Amino acid sequence: MKRYEYDVLVIGAGPGGSMAARFAARNGAKVLLVEKRPEIGVPVRCAEGISRDWLDIVEIKPDKRWIDQEIEGAKIYSPNEKSVITLSAEQAGNEVGFVINREYFDKYLASLAIEEGAEIWLKSPAINIIKEDGYVKGAIVRRFGEEVEVRAKVVIAADGFESQVARWAGLNTVLPERDIVSCIEYRMTNIDIDERFTHFYIGSCAPGGYLWIFPKGRNEANVGIGVALNRIKKRGEVKKYLDNFIEEHSNLKRGGILQIITGAVSVCRVPKHIVANGIMLVGDAARLIDPITGGGIANAAISGRWAGEIAAKCLEDPLEECLMEYQEKVKKKWERKHLRNWFVKEKLSELSDDTLNKLMEVVSQTDIKEISVRAILEAVQEKYPELVEEFEDLI
Amino acid sequence: MMKVNPALCNYCGACVGSCPVNCIFLNETRVEINEDKCVKCGFCIRACPLGAISADWWSK
């Protein structure tokens, strides 16, 4: 078997992997980025909504080539669609700003890694890790059909929701069914929507998740749905939920489908361990998706940058300390936030359509400057005091 | 016996990440299920957005 040696091996060329490769290479490491697919960014597995505020952190400049639509805010619809809450980009946080084109975006990010000197292999799935004396020492990669051994001082697993590399290494990224959301999305054309906003529909149309319409410009949009696994009883049910919704909405029904996108996301708390001997997990592979929004691009890119920078440091500093530094940094940023959002998600997914309708009726009629749990509860207490009891433990 | 219907499969990996025993392997045009490790939990069957996975022990 052919053998290759690198300082850092990054598995998976999504936003997390490309940022890891870029910042490891910038800091002097000899980096290899491997991607199983024949083209970066394809096929898309994403609703493509991002905010603007984190791009500076990872030194990405907004570029017309990958921005399909600028977004002013988000509209959230009650189950009966009689109440609409409109959030400005600032209020809505994570998921508004741009609807991007991942096919271009991911390629752009990979080219930033290449510019810094990272090497990249396509059509090269990792099929196992190399483990010696309890340490991950690299991976077996099937490069254009030929199995080769890639040895590295540090492995960064950026293999997305599948999170296989982590589990080969013995890291527990197994999810309970309540924390898995199964998704399907249609890229639709010839539909009629307000393109200034992203649109979110909650309640029994998407149990344990939500339904979204993210405009892509030119009468196109990503129309998709996520349903929690513990609410799915039958085979292929997620698609039926989406098809039903489209059937019931004349502005969508008249449209046509250009692309069918599927996938799954985790909506969990930050795992206990995201590093092990010789390996770091980033992005979706580290289960760093926001449990409420399901957004993962920003967290992948940021954790990718940190993993890359710290991996490059490992070449000088003791490996153990570097790995722990990365884990601490990730936990400091997301552990509390994702814990809180996980609780809110659990609570929201239990509410009946009737309760959600009442809640959203009140919130949509109130001028709430800053959308916070407390501000919403105070407004609700005035009109439906009995509803607040259900939420008291969230305050 | 488990089956993946290639006419429905989108090779998205929803089944892979949902499998609690990591017994599903995916490359761009093939899904392999190691049934010796499978615990018949049905996560993958329900997680597949297109309903491409079936099993003789799964009736729904």
Side-chain angles (χ1 to χ4, degrees):
Chain A
M1 202 185 294
K2 268 189 210 155
R3 190 176 150 147
Y4 298 86
E5 304 242 1
Y6 289 86
D7 294 326
V8 179
L9 169 64
V10 183
I11 299 170
S18 285
M19 287 297 102
R22 178 194 189 194
F23 286 97
R26 181 187 288 183
N27 288 279
K30 187 185 175 203
V31 181
L32 176 65
L33 174 59
V34 295
E35 166 59 45
K36 71 177 170 191
R37 302 201 188 268
E39 182 176 353
I40 306 249
V42 177
V44 175
R45 299 267 170 261
C46 184
E48 302 181 304
I50 64 166
S51 65
R52 304 153 194 257
D53 53 341
W54 56 275
L55 293 169
D56 283 345
I57 304 175
V58 285
E59 298 176 29
I60 298 172
K61 286 198 192 83
D63 189 318
K64 277 198 297 247
R65 277 184 303 168
W66 47 260
I67 296 171
D68 276 343
Q69 182 73 33
E70 292 206 29
I71 299 298
E72 288 176 23
K75 285 185 182 289
I76 307 168
Y77 298 80
S78 62
N80 60 13
E81 292 180 36
K82 285 183 180 155
S83 307
V84 185
I85 299 173
T86 304
L87 302 176
S88 67
E90 292 74 38
Q91 287 169 322
N94 209 9
E95 288 312 297
V96 293
F98 301 120
V99 174
I100 61 170
N101 182 317
R102 283 289 300 273
E103 292 184 23
Y104 293 123
F105 182 74
D106 285 25
K107 288 186 182 79
Y108 176 75
L109 267 49
S111 50
L112 295 175
I114 294 164
E115 277 169 27
E116 295 286 355
E119 214 179 303
I120 186 163
W121 292 357
L122 299 185
K123 243 177 158 21
S124 299
I127 56 169
N128 212 338
I129 52 163
I130 301 166
K131 214 171 177 179
E132 282 166 6
D133 313 319
Y135 278 81
V136 176
K137 300 275 188 185
I140 306 295
V141 175
R142 196 187 288 133
R143 185 189 193 188
F144 280 97
E146 182 193 358
E147 288 185 18
V148 301
E149 200 179 293
V150 180
R151 298 219 157 225
K153 296 182 181 105
V154 190
V155 172
I156 297 176
D159 56 330
F161 173 74
E162 295 170 32
S163 197
Q164 273 209 307
V165 178
R167 292 186 282 167
W168 289 335
L171 281 159
N172 182 10
T173 57
V174 174
L175 298 161
E177 50 180 348
R178 68 196 314 141
D179 290 348
I180 297 169
V181 171
S182 173
C183 303
I184 181 164
E185 172 182 85
Y186 298 147
R187 167 93 172 270
M188 295 189 75
T189 186
N190 194 38
I191 58 173
D192 182 21
I193 50 158
D194 186 341
E195 298 199 326
R196 295 169 302 161
F197 295 92
T198 48
H199 306 267
F200 299 83
Y201 297 81
I202 59 172
S204 59
C205 66
Y210 63 81
L211 206 145
W212 65 83
I213 303 174
F214 287 1
K216 301 266 286 175
R218 307 169 302 275
N219 295 322
E220 287 178 16
N222 291 332
V223 183
I225 188 174
V227 180
L229 195 57
N230 60 340
R231 309 288 281 275
I232 300 169
K233 304 295 170 218
K234 292 184 187 139
R235 212 148 60 85
E237 210 170 28
V238 184
K239 182 174 180 293
K240 291 203 182 84
Y241 277 109
L242 181 59
D243 290 340
N244 288 343
F245 184 85
I246 291 168
E247 187 64 31
E248 287 164 7
H249 290 76
S250 56
N251 61 326
L252 301 174
K253 198 182 167 187
R254 65 185 205 146
I257 298 168
L258 298 172
Q259 191 180 3
I260 298 170
I261 296 160
T262 54
V265 292
S266 59
V267 286
C268 61
R269 292 160 283 185
V270 175
K272 201 175 260 174
H273 303 288
I274 56 162
V275 300
N277 295 336
I279 184 168
M280 303 185 206
L281 314 182
V282 304
D284 290 12
R287 309 297 191 208
L288 294 180
I289 290 176
D290 185 298
I292 287 192
T293 64
I297 302 171
N299 298 357
I302 295 167
S303 62
R305 172 177 189 157
W306 292 346
E309 283 172 344
I310 293 170
K313 259 183 25 176
C314 288
L315 312 175
E316 306 283 328
D317 297 352
L319 181 60
E320 296 289 327
E321 281 173 30
C322 291
L323 295 172
M324 288 320 291
E325 182 190 339
Y326 170 67
Q327 180 164 291
E328 290 309 313
K329 210 165 169 171
V330 165
K331 288 198 171 185
K332 200 173 162 203
K333 181 153 178 84
W334 289 296
E335 198 169 48
R336 277 181 65 115
K337 184 185 176 197
H338 286 192
L339 176 66
R340 188 188 65 222
N341 286 2
W342 181 83
F343 273 115
V344 174
K345 173 216 58 157
E346 287 290 296
K347 203 78 199 175
L348 279 174
S349 67
E350 284 168 17
L351 299 180
S352 65
D353 280 0
D354 186 48
T355 306
L356 284 169
N357 286 332
K358 284 178 180 166
L359 270 175
M360 291 189 57
E361 179 201 334
V362 174
V363 176
S364 64
Q365 287 164 3
T366 316
D367 180 28
I368 297 175
K369 295 248 168 358
E370 188 200 349
I371 298 287
S372 69
V373 175
R374 183 177 291 273
I376 291 171
L377 287 177
E378 279 169 6
V380 176
Q381 190 149 31
E382 273 182 35
K383 201 163 176 194
Y384 297 109
E386 75 280 4
L387 282 185
V388 177
E389 284 172 29
E390 288 193 43
F391 294 97
E392 263 168 353
D393 48 336
L394 278 183
I395 307 176
Chain B
M1 252 311 259
M2 299 189 75
K3 275 190 197 142
V4 181
N5 183 347
L8 288 177
C9 179
N10 217 8
Y11 308 99
C12 71
C15 54
V16 179
S18 303
C19 176
V21 293
N22 209 19
C23 77
I24 309 179
F25 186 80
L26 164 83
N27 63 31
E28 60 259 38
T29 55
R30 204 171 66 237
V31 179
E32 290 161 14
I33 302 176
N34 178 351
E35 293 202 52
D36 295 338
K37 273 169 75 184
C38 174
V39 292
K40 300 188 179 182
C41 65
F43 276 27
C44 58
I45 295 173
R46 290 187 289 137
C48 177
L50 294 164
I53 306 177
S54 58
D56 51 7
W57 43 266
W58 175 268
S59 56
K60 286 169 208 151

